[in-house]
Amino acid sequence: MSIIWYVLWFVVAVGLLVTVHEFGHFWVARRLGFKVLRFSVGFGRPLLMRVGRDQVEYVIAAVPLGGYVKLLDEREGPVANADLPRSFTRRPPWQRILVLLAGPAFNIVFAVLVLWGMLWASGVTEVTPRVGEVAQGSVAARAGLASGDDIRAINGSAVSSQREVVFGLLDAMSGGGEADLTVRGADGATRAARLVVTDPAQRRHLTEPAALLPGLGFDFWKAPAVIAKVAANGAAARAGLAAGDRIVAIDGAAVKDFDDILRLVGDRPGARVTLSYERAGVPHSTPLVIGSEESGGRRIGRLGIVNRLPASMMLHTDLGAGAALGRAAQEAWSMTVLQARMFWRMVEGRVSLKNLSGPVSIAEFAGDSAEAGVASFLSFLVLISLSLGFLNLLPIPILDGGQILFQLVEWLKGSPLSDRAQAFGQQVGIALLIVLMGVALYNDIARQFS
């Protein structure tokens, strides 16, 4: 069941984003006078086909993991003299470049538009980057970070959310390994703290998935294990728990914060446990059967309780249409720039290759985000669409970026590259993609068994 769920949403996400990408090529090619022969959603045997009044074949094919736009090209077969001016190779190089750029550009524009709609409809809710537990002897402890500090800036750039802090620290650690923080302590005083990691191997380790904050030795402040609301007919309600109770242990395992509760009950649906809690400072203990709910095709343990961060840590801002569009464009640009920087540092060996994700991980992300709700799935689409746009601009011959490079060379030298040079470039591009896909697939398998 879970595999079917993941595959379903993976196909939905990939099919949608590839269709957007190919529509970019199609739309610009038509506007510039290229002759389009086919617009296919999917590969392989056509399931549905319609020939439009423009004589273009519109196809839905059997394999939904991709798509393509076929343009008239005399390199692929004879072309009637009347159609030669509309052949790909007969159009000016700048027009060919625009057609090739259109696919990645449409992915980026799609991401901006989706993000714009989300921000306009729901505004922005940010969680204050307040420091929680700091490990003794860690990089964070040596820098003077303390529990309750609010991080306000990293290397001179203001930050206002946990997400911005993670991105800022990742950028700093994968770069020079130094991050100058401006923090406001629990006493309200502002001071400086400097995180320094000199060992290149340690810095590279910090870039591995989920390794950054533990490697630096601190975490964000987490919600206490105090119940804000009890769901009717849930496991906690049946056990007699009430709002205001503080959970201190589950089957003898100490509970420090709400994340501990999720960790201790999530993998134990239906289990009978002993829950220890405090009510008005008085300790209590009660047997409890952990409830369950289906998530992504599997059963997840639930107590039926709700917890909230303090209002002082939550900042919500409603945005009008113009402000939302500006914020969406800014976030898309920031994510794309960071992605480009991280990719280049990965090539240099400063960022871990474990960050490459293959189809298995992407399918899991798609299924989990769909299970979490519409907003979560749309956020996933934004990230993947930006990634698809960026990756297709890489100067690898088999990708749009490599084809753009060929067209630029032809434009500058006044004649096309030789068939031999183009064939060699294609072979190199295929080899590079096979290597990248192999590393990504290895990471997928390693994550499944870790």
Side-chain angles (χ1 to χ4, degrees):
M1 176 65 178
S2 60
I3 294 177
I4 295 175
W5 178 265
Y6 291 140
V7 170
L8 170 65
W9 288 105
F10 176 74
V11 170
V12 169
V14 171
L16 174 61
L17 297 181
V18 170
T19 299
V20 168
H21 181 95
E22 297 302 331
F23 181 75
H25 293 311
F26 170 80
W27 189 83
V28 173
R30 291 284 300 275
R31 294 302 178 276
L32 292 177
F34 290 75
K35 184 169 184 176
V36 181
L37 302 179
R38 174 177 286 190
F39 180 11
S40 178
V41 177
F43 294 109
R45 183 173 62 86
L47 299 178
L48 295 173
M49 178 186 293
R50 184 179 70 84
V51 179
R53 288 180 296 179
D54 51 9
Q55 300 305 305
V56 177
E57 295 178 347
Y58 297 92
V59 175
I60 296 179
V63 182
L65 302 179
Y68 63 93
V69 172
K70 184 176 181 180
L71 303 178
L72 183 68
D73 193 328
E74 59 192 298
R75 295 171 299 182
E76 298 180 1
V79 174
N81 289 334
D83 287 332
L84 277 176
R86 301 180 65 192
S87 173
F88 182 82
T89 53
R90 297 297 180 100
R91 307 301 297 176
W94 67 269
Q95 290 188 359
R96 291 181 240 157
I97 291 171
L98 287 180
V99 171
L100 292 165
L101 280 173
F106 267 54
N107 280 126
I108 294 171
V109 170
F110 173 82
V112 171
L113 291 178
V114 172
L115 194 54
W116 176 36
M118 294 173 64
L119 294 175
W120 190 7
S122 304
V124 179
T125 300
E126 297 176 314
V127 182
T128 299
R130 182 167 298 167
V131 176
E133 186 176 350
V134 178
Q136 291 185 354
S138 65
V139 174
R142 292 194 296 272
L145 278 184
S147 180
D149 287 345
D150 287 344
I151 302 175
R152 294 303 186 88
I154 299 177
N155 288 336
S157 298
V159 292
S160 58
S161 68
Q162 294 181 2
R163 175 173 166 272
E164 290 178 343
V165 168
V166 170
F167 285 169
L169 290 177
L170 183 61
D171 188 18
M173 290 301 113
S174 63
E178 299 178 353
D180 291 311
L181 310 184
T182 301
V183 301
R184 189 182 68 177
D187 58 359
T190 299
R191 68 181 194 281
R194 194 162 194 256
L195 302 173
V196 179
V197 180
T198 57
D199 181 15
Q202 185 181 357
R203 294 204 301 266
R204 187 166 53 252
H205 171 72
L206 291 175
T207 67
E208 295 180 7
L212 179 64
L213 297 186
L216 292 175
F218 79 97
D219 203 348
F220 293 122
W221 194 85
K222 297 178 180 178
V226 177
I227 299 174
K229 182 180 179 181
V230 177
N233 300 319
R238 291 193 294 270
L241 294 173
D245 292 346
R246 176 186 290 272
I247 299 175
V248 296
I250 298 176
D251 263 358
V255 170
K256 295 182 296 183
D257 50 51
F258 203 73
D259 282 5
D260 284 341
I261 299 175
L262 299 177
R263 176 176 55 82
L264 291 170
V265 307
D267 293 330
R268 304 175 67 187
R272 187 176 183 85
V273 300
T274 299
L275 190 143
S276 303
Y277 65 98
E278 293 180 354
R279 178 174 294 172
V282 179
H284 297 271
S285 182
T286 182
L288 177 146
V289 177
I290 297 174
S292 68
E293 66 178 37
E294 188 168 319
S295 175
R298 60 193 180 97
R299 307 302 297 182
I300 301 294
R302 292 287 185 261
L303 293 184
I305 58 177
V306 175
N307 185 274
R308 297 186 181 92
L309 289 168
S312 61
M313 289 189 63
M314 307 295 294
L315 176 63
H316 179 80
T317 306
D318 289 318
L319 300 173
L325 180 58
R327 178 72 177 254
Q330 179 186 9
E331 290 201 10
W333 172 254
S334 298
M335 285 188 282
T336 302
V337 169
L338 180 63
Q339 187 173 214
R341 193 176 295 149
M342 292 298 105
F343 186 85
W344 178 246
R345 290 174 182 173
M346 191 181 298
V347 172
E348 293 180 318
R350 292 192 284 167
V351 170
S352 173
L353 290 174
K354 292 181 180 180
N355 289 285
L356 289 175
S357 295
V360 176
S361 294
I362 295 174
E364 289 182 342
F365 296 149
D368 290 342
S369 64
E371 178 67 24
V374 174
S376 180
F377 185 67
L378 289 177
S379 296
F380 165 78
L381 287 181
V382 167
L383 291 174
I384 298 300
S385 193
L386 289 174
S387 296
L388 186 60
F390 165 73
L391 290 174
N392 268 280
L393 289 174
L394 293 177
I396 297 175
I398 198 171
L399 301 177
D400 292 330
Q403 296 302 313
I404 291 171
L405 184 61
F406 284 165
Q407 306 308 319
L408 284 172
V409 171
E410 178 179 338
W411 197 1
L412 292 173
K413 69 190 290 282
S415 61
L417 285 171
S418 66
D419 291 341
R420 182 178 179 182
Q422 293 191 47
F424 176 75
Q426 296 284 3
Q427 292 168 358
V428 171
I430 291 172
L432 286 173
L433 281 184
I434 290 175
V435 170
L436 288 175
M437 291 172 63
V439 173
L441 186 58
Y442 172 82
N443 289 341
D444 281 353
I445 295 171
R447 290 185 189 111
Q448 296 301 312
F449 289 96
S450 63

